[in-house]
Amino acid sequence: MNIHYNQSWYGEKAEVIKKNQNYFVINYGCKGKGIVSNYNLFDGISCCFLDFDTEEVMPSQKFNPDIISIVHCHTGRYECEFSNHQIFYLSEGYFSIMGTKYLPISFSFPLKKCYAFSLVIDKHAINQNTKNILSDLLKRSPNNYDQYAGTVQGILDEIKEKGDEALFAYTEKFDKCKLTKDTIQVTEEEIKAAYEKVDDSLVEVIRKSLVNIREYHEKQKRNSWFDAKPDGTILGQKMTALASVGVYVPGGKAAYPSSVLMNIVPAKVAGVEKIVMVTPPNKEGEVTPATLVAANEAGATHIYKVGGAQAIGALAYGTESIEKVDKIVGPGNIYVALAKKAVYGHVSIDSIAGPSEILVLADDTANPHFVAADLLSQAEHDELASAILVTTSKTLGEKVQEEIEGYLKKLSRAEIIEKSLENFGYILEAETLDEALEVVNAIASEHLEIVTANPFEVMTKVRNAGAIFIGEYSSEPLGDYFAGPNHVLPTNGTAKFFSPLNVDDFVKKSSIIYYSKDALKAIHKDIETFAQAEGLTAHANSIAVRFEEE
């Protein structure tokens, strides 16, 4: 996980070849010149050429200075003492930087077939490790893909200016499907045909899941309230459902009927009358059958065969065929995410979703077989997905890595999983549970599993997480499909200030203010004084005119 290496020299002798107050260089059997490169983890780690014959450290301008790299690692064991603190160990395919006064949180990284390594560490900067992991995760955010923003804005501008003409043209260009005003909307006949193509067992599961999702979200509903006081004032809050909502649903291999349910049900529970779903068609102008079934069961009122940034533009601005909505929700690719970001203000949006992520917090009571399976359940989404284990048990971390290797031999998406783990997978070892919780709250993961001896007690110390799964039988996919809580969750650290998609996202609140004449008369001088102090004489006058004759 997250080690980049290049084939290099190897040998048997390990030695510290360079050290001073700021850094030390460890050479494990390397001869000649090696390169420290390719692993962005700690601030202040020096990227340099190492001349192992002369023991000279030569700075290089070719690489990011905030990196650490394994060129290749032998699978034996070596321990190095520096300032009476264990800095690292190497055993059974693991490179670990252990907890020291310089590095409160220990890191273990599983390696593949490795023979030799070299690294340079700035001991004064190592304590920045958690911040840099979070920084790496944030690089996956759609906010970092501005190179596509111009293309997206061009599409949106055309949709706004030309309406259906542009919508049909982009659908033909990107989806290879010719649409007209007569074929853009899914018909009742197409929905009936979809049921014939979907197994009855899946339809039944969708209906069972709907019951759980609906019951959970019903508990989130809030009523309007009014507070009448004896002095003749009435204050309150009026809850009103949005009039219309657009739901974006990806197509093709990324078509997930579960996401259809999660986006439509809370809107339906909130009382939204018009729920418009858009999803890209195939070349034949057809929509994924399971998507249509899920949408019909959940309560979509209109379904259109359009996708991409052009669909977001149609929902935001309206065209001859698709009416403008008040809010857009739902996941999509980078073009969809950037389009949602661009139209915010014309309409409301749910969030700018990033790649999926899971963090498992576990101690020595956890089952490594289960933990490994749960980590891979999110890593299989795509190469940008993140899977992190934070544990107080070095033994558990080692066993989880062994289990991962076993799973990779039989899982169908093993290639995607391996890339995901290499890019954004971590096994982090903490000395104490409190240290582990600091990391958990700093990363603020989309999905958090707590697999410890006292998981409910630990849960009370978690401040930042999208969804919290407690105990070894509350695996993350339970929340994806069936439990009831929404699986549309904040990503990329936004769980520090965002919440899962919920009923409140589909309602708006209006303040209610009523004062009788007597109630206003009792305080009108106070209001006038406040307004005059701000230099807003018309404000003061608006109150004063009501009592001119008194």
Side-chain angles (χ1 to χ4, degrees), residues 381-402:
H381 272 293
D382 58 58
E383 291 86 349
L384 293 178
S386 171
I388 301 174
L389 168 62
V390 179
T391 180
T392 54
S393 170
K394 181 179 73 176
T395 300
L396 178 70
E398 294 172 347
K399 289 182 178 179
V400 166
Q401 176 58 25
E402 292 174 4

Side-chain angles (χ1 to χ4, degrees), residues 314-351:
L315 292 171
Y317 305 127
T319 72
E320 296 87 338
S321 297
I322 301 177
E323 291 185 10
K324 179 185 184 299
V325 298
D326 295 323
K327 184 166 188 170
I328 303 173
V329 301
N333 62 20
I334 186 63
Y335 294 98
V336 170
L338 290 175
K340 288 171 67 178
K341 180 181 177 182
V343 301
Y344 178 65
H346 295 279
V347 293
S348 178
I349 63 172
D350 51 351
S351 63

Side-chain angles (χ1 to χ4, degrees), residues 434-473:
D434 285 341
E435 282 184 349
L437 282 162
E438 288 181 14
V439 176
V440 167
N441 285 318
I443 293 175
S445 184
E446 176 188 19
H447 306 99
L448 169 64
E449 289 188 7
I450 301 176
V451 193
T452 61
N454 300 295
F456 281 94
E457 179 182 345
V458 173
M459 180 268 293
T460 64
K461 300 178 181 179
V462 174
R463 295 184 57 85
N464 305 319
I468 304 173
F469 300 79
I470 299 175
E472 66 178 8
Y473 290 99

